[in-house]
Amino acid sequence: MSGCNVGGVAEDELAVRVLLVDDSWVFIQVVEDYLRLMRSPSFEIIGRVCNGHDAVRSVAELKPDLVLLDLVMPGTNGLEIARQIKALPDAPRVIMLTFYDLPEYREAAQNAQADGFVGKSEFAVRLIPLIRELFFDQPTIPRIEEN
């Protein structure tokens, strides 16, 4: 059996349930297509929303394991959405995705209790290692690091 065994469940046997939150449907589709190509871990996309109100409601209803959350959206920004999600009982892990990969945003994401921060320009390289670290305790890269 390959994969990291965590609590009797191997990485390649577990589907991570994911909610995608971004105001760009094009980016949501890119992330969804990318995650569907992954075999270890595997992913189940359980929802796609384009605003903060729907994000918090969807987390409460769908109970994802992971929320991939855009930092900058119209209306409520991703930092406030992350705070609201993390305040829910049994809150999922939250990874912020953004084009604005700046130290001050990384710090703000950390203060909002986000579990990780990935620049959209490098999500194809950094996202899966970060998810493996968060879910399967495979240390790879800092979750929220300074550039």
Side-chain angles (χ1 to χ4, degrees), residues 16-20 35 43-47 64-68:
V16 178
R17 296 168 33 89
V18 181
L19 176 65
L20 302 174
L35 293 177
F43 297 92
E44 177 186 358
I45 308 303
I46 61 169
D65 302 313
L66 174 64
V67 177
L68 297 179

Side-chain angles (χ1 to χ4, degrees), residues 10 27 30 72 75 109 111-112 116 130:
F27 189 73
V30 167
V72 179
N111 291 337
L130 178 56

Side-chain angles (χ1 to χ4, degrees), residues 42-57:
S42 62
F43 297 92
E44 177 186 358
I45 308 303
I46 61 169
R48 300 154 202 82
V49 297
C50 63
N51 64 64
H53 174 75
D54 289 343
V56 176
R57 180 185 49 77

Side-chain angles (χ1 to χ4, degrees), residues 86-102:
K86 294 306 260 182
L88 295 171
D90 299 318
R93 291 181 172 99
V94 174
I95 297 176
M96 305 295 301
L97 298 174
T98 185
F99 284 119
Y100 305 99
D101 191 357
L102 302 169

Side-chain angles (χ1 to χ4, degrees), residues 73-113:
M73 292 188 292
T76 308
N77 70 48
L79 297 170
E80 181 54 35
I81 297 164
R83 281 185 198 93
Q84 291 177 27
I85 289 171
K86 294 306 260 182
L88 295 171
D90 299 318
R93 291 181 172 99
V94 174
I95 297 176
M96 305 295 301
L97 298 174
T98 185
F99 284 119
Y100 305 99
D101 191 357
L102 302 169
E104 57 265 31
Y105 288 128
R106 288 180 178 276
E107 183 178 339
Q110 192 169 23
N111 291 337
Q113 298 181 320

